[in-house]
Amino acid sequence: MEICKPDKIYNQKFFVYGHRGVPFLQKENTLKSFETAIDLGFDGVELDIMSTKDGKIIVNHDTLLKSSSSAEEYKISNINYENINNFPLLKDTLISIGHMTIVNIEIKDQGKTSYSVVDKLIKILKELSLIDNIIISSFNPDIIREVKKTDDRFPTAWIWEEENLKFYNLYYVVLKYYKPDAIHIYHRIASKKLVKKIHKKGMKAIAYTVNDKEKLEKLIRKNIDGVFTDNPKILEEVNQKIHQKIL
């Protein structure tokens, strides 16, 4: 594994993230999954973070934890880390792979708890001297704004899904207020027209989650700048197109 160069983020023609590592090969959001993505040559890895009740920042996707003995679900924010310590801590993960690749850290929406997550995340990143190869993202634009208020050196990305369509008619105003540096967009709503609008604002558009060749081909025709994928075959397809100078 090589140390990544600070100026690498989104500067190349097409960017491929290992979405939560490489879930097609390893358990998602685990150190093994991230290390596998790095070894395979993904441009970066994406991981999800949230807080436990006692303020530990863990790497995990779902904010609710299913009970092993019933159908009940419990908020991670209401559980102490000692009771769910099968999830890796963010700091331990970043110590292992933080300087080896681009890391997209998605902050999950836990309501008011998310603001303390922003503060703790920034402190961890500074402690580990991780600034130039980190991009922080969220579905909640208020979290993006909080990141910018806390330390505007960190690039941010606002994640768009179908529910965000209500913002599109006012998106110039909305983007100016929240100030994301990129848009991570659900592949089904990534039209060529919308991608063009994002580009006109000087931002990159990265689509999620793209696991088959047909979706990839459609997105390339729409001038998307990159993809998140669980599937290493997508990375192979992209590398082949770059070699053939299609990308």
Side-chain angles (χ1 to χ4, degrees):
M1 299 180 187
E2 296 179 355
I3 302 297
C4 72
K5 295 180 180 179
D7 60 354
K8 188 180 177 184
I9 297 180
Y10 297 170
N11 279 353
Q12 65 232 62
K13 286 222 166 191
F14 201 87
F15 197 98
V16 184
Y17 272 114
H19 181 239
R20 306 176 200 161
V22 195
F24 272 35
L25 302 178
Q26 305 287 351
K27 183 180 178 182
E28 68 175 39
N29 273 328
T30 60
L31 182 57
K32 185 65 175 175
S33 193
F34 302 135
E35 289 175 336
T36 300
I38 294 167
D39 287 338
L40 288 172
F42 279 87
D43 299 309
V45 297
E46 182 266 355
L47 55 83
D48 310 283
I49 66 167
M50 63 191 65
S51 178
T52 60
K53 183 179 180 180
D54 51 347
K56 302 292 184 182
I57 307 302
I58 63 171
V59 179
N60 181 48
H61 179 265
D62 297 327
T63 58
L64 296 175
L65 184 67
K66 292 182 180 178
S67 170
S68 58
S69 58
S70 68
E72 289 188 85
E73 294 182 321
Y74 303 93
K75 288 183 178 181
I76 295 285
S77 58
N78 290 337
I79 307 172
N80 286 329
Y81 181 67
E82 64 180 359
N83 297 318
I84 51 169
N85 57 16
N86 55 317
F87 297 117
L89 290 167
L90 173 66
K91 186 174 180 180
D92 292 344
T93 300
L94 292 179
I95 287 171
S96 295
I97 58 103
H99 288 280
M100 300 298 176
T101 188
I102 305 299
V103 184
N104 174 197
I105 300 174
E106 180 188 335
I107 301 176
K108 306 304 289 186
D109 192 351
Q110 293 179 290
K112 291 181 180 179
T113 301
S114 301
Y115 294 97
S116 66
V117 172
V118 169
D119 185 60
K120 290 175 183 177
L121 168 61
I122 299 298
K123 286 178 180 176
I124 290 171
L125 295 174
K126 289 179 179 178
E127 182 182 342
L128 299 179
S129 298
L130 289 168
I131 296 176
D132 296 316
N133 64 313
I134 300 293
I135 183 164
I136 301 171
S137 64
S138 183
F139 282 94
N140 184 341
D142 289 320
I143 294 174
I144 297 300
R145 184 167 169 79
E146 186 67 17
V147 171
K148 289 296 187 186
K149 285 166 60 180
T150 305
D151 192 326
D152 63 4
R153 291 177 297 171
F154 291 95
T156 58
W158 185 9
I159 308 173
W160 281 1
E161 56 185 341
E162 288 170 305
E163 285 78 1
N164 293 113
L165 287 169
K166 62 189 176 187
F167 290 115
Y168 291 170
N169 290 334
L170 296 170
Y171 86 104
Y172 277 114
V173 177
V174 172
L175 292 178
K176 186 176 180 180
Y177 180 75
Y178 291 112
K179 300 179 180 178
D181 300 290
I183 299 296
H184 294 168
I185 186 169
Y186 184 40
H187 70 87
R188 289 183 182 173
I189 61 171
S191 67
K192 193 167 187 177
K193 182 178 179 181
L194 184 55
V195 172
K196 186 177 180 180
K197 283 186 175 183
I198 293 168
H199 287 163
K200 283 183 74 173
K201 291 296 291 180
M203 296 185 295
K204 298 288 189 179
I206 313 292
Y208 69 93
T209 303
V210 181
N211 287 328
D212 64 69
K213 182 179 177 180
E214 184 180 349
K215 286 178 186 175
L216 176 65
E217 298 277 2
K218 287 180 180 178
L219 288 163
I220 288 172
R221 290 195 293 270
K222 294 173 183 178
N223 297 320
I224 208 77
D225 299 297
V227 295
F228 293 84
T229 185
D230 306 321
N231 186 358
K233 294 290 185 183
I234 294 298
L235 178 64
E236 293 176 14
E237 286 288 336
V238 169
N239 286 338
Q240 186 176 29
K241 291 180 185 302
I242 291 172
H243 181 72
Q244 296 171 343
K245 298 184 178 179
I246 297 172
L247 280 173

